[in-house]
Structures are given as C-alpha cells and as structure tokens.
Amino acid sequence: MRVRSRLWIVPVLAALVAVVAALPALSQPAAEPAGTTSVAVRPGRGAPPRPEATGVVLAVHGGAGTALRREDTGARTEKAYRDGLAGALRAGQKVLRDGGGSVAAVEAAVRVLEDDPLFNAGRGAVFTEDAGHELDASVMRGSDQAAGAVAGVRHVRNPVSAARLVMERTPHVLLAGQGADDFAVRNGLPAVTQDYFWTQARWDSLMEAKGHSGGGRTPAMGAKAVGEAAMGTVGAVAVDRGRDLAAATSTGGMTNKMAGRVGDSPVVGAGTYAKNGTVAASATGHGEVFLRGAATATISHLMEFGGRDVASAAREVVHERLAALGGTGGVIALDPQGVLAAPYSSEGMLYGYLTAGGEVVTKVFPGE
Ligand code: ASP
C-alpha cells in the first residue's frame, strides 16, 4: 500500500527530466531536416563549427589553393568550373541512382574531373621539375577499409580506375611507377602518352615556378609552387543506400615537384580515408603536411575515439593540427548520415555536393 501511494512521484520525475533535457535545445537553432542544405559558415575561434550541408550523398572537390576571385573571374571561366564539378556529381548520381555502390560513385565522379583539363588530375595535371607528369590516386571502401592506390604513374589516362583495380584485383594497397603503369595496361585501362596530359595553363605555371625559384629546382619546389599552389587536385566522397562510405582522390601533385615525389593523395589516411560509421574524407593542399599530419585518418579517429562530429573533427584537423604543422588546404568529409564538412585554410577550395533529393550545389568562390 505504501509503495503504491508514492507512485505519483514517477510521472513527476519523468516530467522534470524531460524539461531539463529540453533546456539546451531551446537555446540552439533547430537541426535541419535531412535533404536541406545550409550556407557555408566559417566560424571564428571558439564558435562551434557547423556542417557545410546535410542530406548529402556525394561530394566532390576540385582542389584547394589560390582562389578564383569574383572580381576577376569571367562568366565563362566561372561556368566552366561549375560545370566541371556538376558534371562529376551527375556522373556519380547516375551510378547511385542505378543502384551502384559508393565506390563506383566516387570513381565515376573522379574520372570526369580527371578528364577535364581544368583540374590538376589526369588531363590537365601539373608538371614535374623535369617537365613530365607523374600522377597519384587512391580509393578506399568504408565497409571493410579495403584500399587501392597508384603513385607516380605516367601513362594511365584515369589513375583513379587503376587505384580501384589495385584494390579489387591485387593483394596490395599501393603500386608505384612503371609497375603500376604496366598493371593498369594489363588490366585493360587505356594508356596515353605524356603529351595527353599537357595544358598551356600548367606549362605556364611551371615556367612561373621555375622563374620564381631562379630557373632550377629548389629544395622546397620553389616557394611559389608550394605556398600558392594552383588548385586542381580532385576528390570525391559518397554514401550509398546501404550507408557504405567511400572516398577517392586523384592528382598530378604539385607544380615543379621533384621527379619521384609522392604526395598525400595516394596515401591512405593522409589524402584519402573511408571507414563505415565515421567518415569518408578526401584532402587537398600541401601534401607533405597532410602526410605528416595523417590528415584524413585523424578526422576519423577524432570521431571514433573522441566522440566528435564530422564538422568539428574536420575543422580541428584543417585549421589547428595541419596549420600548426605549417600547411594549408582543405578536405571534404562526409559522415554516414549525410552530414558534409568542407573546411579549408587556403584562400579557396573548389567543391560541390549532391543531396539525396537531387539538388546539385557548387562552390567556386571563397566564402560562397
Ligand atoms: N595534395 C596534393 C599533393 O600534395 C596537391 C593538392 O592537393 O593540390 O600532391
């Protein structure tokens, strides 16, 4: 009897707990429903970082570095970059719509950017110090953390496809140089001669970098080439219907790099990372620093072991950890719920995303 007479306290306590739990929510903006997008916000020190967008199924980047400036970018140039990013997103969208997985989607998106001479990957790749092209690419599958990569390839038209073949058809993760070129050809990928990758713009950048560094190689590839690297490395991240994550990155590297230099892009945990339950991430920027900072793996670890959300983990890596090592650049990082972070510390970063509802958004100007 006594027990029953005190039962009134149960609903009262429950009501109290509910009120206390609701208090923090009252002082915060309402969460956005999946499928909507939010404008990029680059919070100041101390402010909680907000994601770039929610409801995202696929995102791409076209590199970080010197920015396209609104004031001196013509309508045609702006359109060309936006079309390039949107074309990549549409290619990945088709794969996902047809029931393809996230790995196939990121490969399809990156291939489009590799074929576009505006971007520093595949056709349009930057030049090495000896006026050649050496390409790096990687892909990673979040479901089992399988990965494949190629480094320093000189004749593969689409290095990201070679990376996928390394993942799927070899017991290895990373093939480099001649062996990687031969592997790609043996597995049916189209081979090209070096002149396929040539563009006037990249040639001019090489000349500028060499002029800046006195006409020869300097230990740091020329201050201009490193500090003000032109944009163009490409990458993609995706989540499919099964919530499987994947990421891919492809690049020509950095203008005037030493022959044989390998950056972060083909290195799992540096330029590319995907792990179901945490994040799919692709990086762009000063590769040596992204390697030293294990950039993309650190985002995943901060989420997995530190309980951080994707926006705060990605922001910390780009704006604090890599900045402390002296490097600039950016990442696109997508969590399994479709929350996208796209922080960058460089002047600009080209990127875009596709929502589950089919909306395509491209960002080519800083702070856009
Ligand atoms: N991270 C690339 C590299 O160092 C370059 C870039 O993203 O622009 O090879």
Side-chain angles (χ1 to χ4, degrees):
M1 286 296 278
R2 283 175 69 185
V3 170
R4 194 189 290 166
S5 68
R6 284 184 193 150
L7 281 181
W8 59 269
I9 204 160
V10 175
V12 170
L13 275 177
L16 260 175
V17 168
V19 167
V20 170
L23 279 178
L26 293 176
S27 60
Q28 280 175 12
E32 291 175 325
T36 62
T37 60
S38 60
V39 177
V41 175
R42 299 192 192 290
R45 254 183 118 70
R50 287 180 52 194
E52 171 69 27
T54 54
V56 172
V57 291
L58 173 69
V60 296
H61 71 75
T66 46
L68 287 184
R69 293 184 192 86
R70 264 185 207 282
E71 50 287 10
D72 42 43
T73 301
R76 271 178 48 192
T77 304
E78 176 185 344
K79 183 174 181 319
Y81 279 102
R82 288 197 197 280
D83 286 353
L85 295 169
L89 290 167
R90 293 288 180 214
Q93 180 183 34
K94 184 172 181 327
V95 170
L96 293 172
R97 203 195 289 133
D98 294 349
S102 51
V103 169
V106 294
E107 181 194 5
V110 167
R111 282 178 64 100
V112 168
L113 295 168
E114 285 179 337
D115 290 345
D116 187 330
L118 280 181
F119 299 95
N120 171 22
R123 189 160 161 245
V126 298
F127 284 89
T128 59
E129 61 170 0
D130 54 2
H133 300 278
E134 297 181 1
L135 313 175
D136 303 334
S138 61
V139 64
M140 188 161 181
R141 182 168 68 203
S143 57
D144 57 356
Q145 289 179 266
V150 292
V153 292
R154 295 167 58 83
H155 299 290
V156 183
R157 196 180 98 169
N158 291 107
V160 71
S161 295
R164 184 174 178 189
L165 286 174
V166 171
M167 177 173 83
E168 292 178 347
R169 296 193 189 167
T170 82
H172 307 301
V173 168
L174 174 58
L175 295 183
Q178 189 65 53
D181 272 311
D182 292 348
F183 165 80
V185 171
R186 276 202 313 276
N187 281 274
L189 292 184
V192 291
T193 50
Q194 285 259 292
D195 58 319
Y196 167 80
F197 301 112
W198 191 95
T199 55
Q200 185 68 50
R202 300 300 182 194
W203 181 257
D204 293 346
S205 299
L206 178 69
M207 292 302 112
E208 200 186 336
K210 285 188 179 296
H212 194 82
S213 61
R217 178 179 62 77
T218 64
M221 293 179 272
K224 174 87 173 172
V226 172
E228 299 166 42
M231 287 184 280
T233 288
V234 307
V237 291
V239 58
D240 60 26
R241 282 184 211 159
R243 292 257 184 249
D244 284 334
L245 294 170
T249 310
S250 181
T251 188
M254 299 190 83
T255 298
N256 206 25
K257 68 182 180 181
M258 291 175 70
R261 178 264 191 187
V262 175
D264 60 316
S265 305
V267 176
V268 168
T272 304
Y273 202 70
K275 184 173 184 184
N276 274 16
T278 59
V279 74
S282 170
T284 171
H286 189 176
E288 280 67 14
V289 172
F290 281 69
L291 277 165
R292 288 164 53 215
T296 50
T298 301
I299 296 173
S300 178
H301 298 337
L302 284 171
M303 295 174 72
E304 183 173 1
F305 307 123
R308 305 277 291 277
D309 61 58
V310 67
S312 87
R315 183 177 189 275
E316 175 172 327
V317 167
V318 169
H319 288 287
E320 294 173 32
R321 293 176 182 242
L322 298 177
L325 296 175
T328 59
V331 297
I332 51 172
L334 182 66
D335 82 5
Q337 281 73 44
V339 178
L340 176 73
Y344 57 90
S345 58
S346 43
E347 239 181 88
M349 182 168 82
L350 304 166
Y351 62 102
Y353 56 85
L354 166 77
T355 67
E359 186 190 7
V360 166
V361 176
T362 59
K363 308 271 179 118
V364 299
F365 296 123
E368 192 181 351

